[in-house]
Amino acid sequence: MKNKKKNISSFFQFSLLFIQPIFMTSNIAIARGALGNIPPISLAFSRWLLVFLIIFPFIYQSIFKKKKYFKEEFWKLTFLASTGYVGCGALPYISGLTTTVTNMSIIYALSPIFIVLLSAYIYKERLKIFQYSGVILSLFGVSFIIFKGNFNNFVNLNFTTGDLWIFGAAVSWSLFSIFLINWKSKFSIIERFTLMSFIGSIILAPFFIIEHLYFLPTTFDTIYLEFSLVAALFPGIIAFLMYTKLQQVVGASIAGLTVYLMPIYGSIYGMVLFSENLVHYHFYGALMVLLGIFLAKKKHK
């Protein structure tokens, strides 16, 4: 009976590693579809404000019962909101204005490496040799996809200011992932998620106003509402709650490997939604990523 429960738990954990990035990667499709229709900070601000407005009415009573803890955890919640919701919410959208999807993918795929290194340095969370091998193999698989199986594409890669924005997003996501799992909270997962969404939207509000008045005005039409709602539901509520749960069951370093699956799922979204083609390097790269995640997830004694 214990073995059966253990097998079910392992299957759930392994499945979650592959399901969560489906929703997280939908943010790429949303960003591409919104390009030219909704300014980047406007979309990020509206996304997290909607997340808060959707969830808060259902759990406000439980949050108010714990309001005495809010002051105690305020700065931690603010840091997590800044890194996970502002940094990873707005920076990729801004990056997409001045750089390519290829550059964004390879730089953002560095975040699992940052998570492993920072976890080892800050919290002494170390992976075994097979798990480190899995990290490297997954990174190689991602690179194989991004550079289309051709080393010349790596040599000729050009960097822009947009690359700095996405690099900041990768570091931001890494910091969020590490401290999210290591900072204990009196609030439940859904309560903390809601509070961080509220704080994140407050931080983004002045930047949204500046963007609207001086750079890219937002047209508050049906398209704006549709994209904001989809961004709030799929890469917002579903993806972030699943990622938080994933961290609880496998740890920050292993959960961070889900980022490696984003170029694979991104290619699928591109094929289905934007008529892009899947070719041989997608499959070879995907195989390396899947094998790498298997090795990294496996616990060797």
Side-chain angles (χ1 to χ4, degrees):
M1 191 66 173
K2 290 183 179 180
N3 289 334
K4 185 176 181 180
K5 289 183 178 180
K6 184 177 180 180
N7 290 335
I8 293 175
S9 177
S10 297
F11 177 77
F12 169 75
Q13 295 175 17
F14 198 66
S15 299
L16 199 59
L17 279 169
F18 295 95
I19 295 174
Q20 188 272 343
I22 294 176
F23 295 99
M24 186 68 77
T25 310
S26 67
N27 201 37
I28 296 176
I30 292 169
R32 178 169 177 179
L35 190 63
N37 295 309
I38 305 176
I41 298 179
S42 173
L43 181 57
F45 167 74
S46 303
R47 170 189 179 185
W48 294 120
L49 181 60
L50 273 176
V51 167
F52 172 74
L53 294 176
I54 290 171
I55 301 178
F56 184 71
F58 297 98
I59 64 168
Y60 73 93
Q61 290 182 335
S62 63
I63 289 180
F64 285 146
K65 287 180 181 178
K66 300 178 182 178
K67 61 182 180 181
K68 63 181 179 180
Y69 300 120
F70 182 75
K71 183 177 180 180
E72 177 185 325
E73 299 185 25
F74 175 76
W75 290 112
K76 290 182 178 180
L77 290 170
T78 300
F79 178 85
L80 292 172
S82 300
T83 53
Y85 294 60
V86 177
C88 296
L91 296 185
Y93 295 153
I94 297 173
S95 174
L97 297 175
T98 55
T99 191
T100 65
V101 174
T102 298
N103 285 34
M104 289 174 66
S105 299
I106 185 60
I107 294 171
Y108 201 80
L110 293 173
S111 58
I113 303 298
F114 295 152
I115 291 174
V116 171
L117 296 178
L118 289 173
S119 293
Y121 178 74
I122 299 174
Y123 290 107
K124 311 304 179 183
E125 180 184 331
R126 299 186 181 278
L127 301 180
K128 295 180 173 62
I129 184 64
F130 275 87
Q131 294 174 313
Y132 276 115
S133 299
V135 170
I136 295 172
L137 183 60
S138 293
L139 181 60
F140 186 78
V142 168
S143 302
F144 194 82
I145 293 172
I146 292 170
F147 299 128
K148 301 178 175 60
N150 189 340
F151 182 73
N152 290 328
N153 291 329
F154 172 78
V155 175
N156 297 325
L157 191 65
N158 294 315
F159 292 92
T160 69
T161 54
D163 298 321
L164 297 178
W165 288 113
I166 197 64
F167 182 83
V171 174
S172 185
W173 179 256
S174 304
L175 291 170
F176 169 77
S177 299
I178 293 170
F179 290 110
L180 178 67
I181 189 63
N182 285 286
W183 280 347
K184 304 304 178 184
S185 175
K186 297 292 194 307
F187 296 101
S188 67
I189 292 176
I190 189 69
E191 290 167 353
R192 188 159 63 154
F193 175 71
T194 304
L195 289 171
M196 289 188 293
S197 299
F198 178 65
I199 295 172
S201 62
I202 289 177
I203 296 173
L204 284 166
F207 297 100
F208 161 63
I209 294 172
I210 293 172
E211 177 189 66
H212 178 72
L213 294 178
Y214 300 105
F215 296 97
L216 298 171
T218 300
T219 302
F220 300 98
D221 54 11
T222 304
I223 296 177
Y224 164 79
L225 291 176
E226 289 175 349
F227 273 102
S228 298
L229 184 59
V230 172
L233 291 176
F234 295 102
I237 294 174
I238 297 176
F240 269 73
L241 289 179
M242 290 181 70
Y243 185 76
T244 303
K245 182 62 177 177
L246 188 61
Q247 280 200 319
Q248 288 185 334
V249 296
V250 299
S253 295
I254 304 301
L257 295 178
T258 56
V259 174
Y260 283 137
L261 288 168
M262 292 180 68
I264 297 174
Y265 292 141
S267 299
I268 296 174
Y269 277 119
M271 179 184 65
V272 175
L273 300 177
F274 304 106
S275 301
E276 296 178 356
N277 296 321
L278 287 177
V279 293
H280 67 280
Y281 55 80
H282 288 112
F283 297 102
Y284 293 134
L287 182 62
M288 285 184 278
V289 170
L290 297 179
L291 179 59
I293 290 177
F294 174 78
L295 290 173
K297 171 68 177 64
K298 197 171 182 62
K299 294 181 179 179
H300 298 270
K301 295 181 179 180

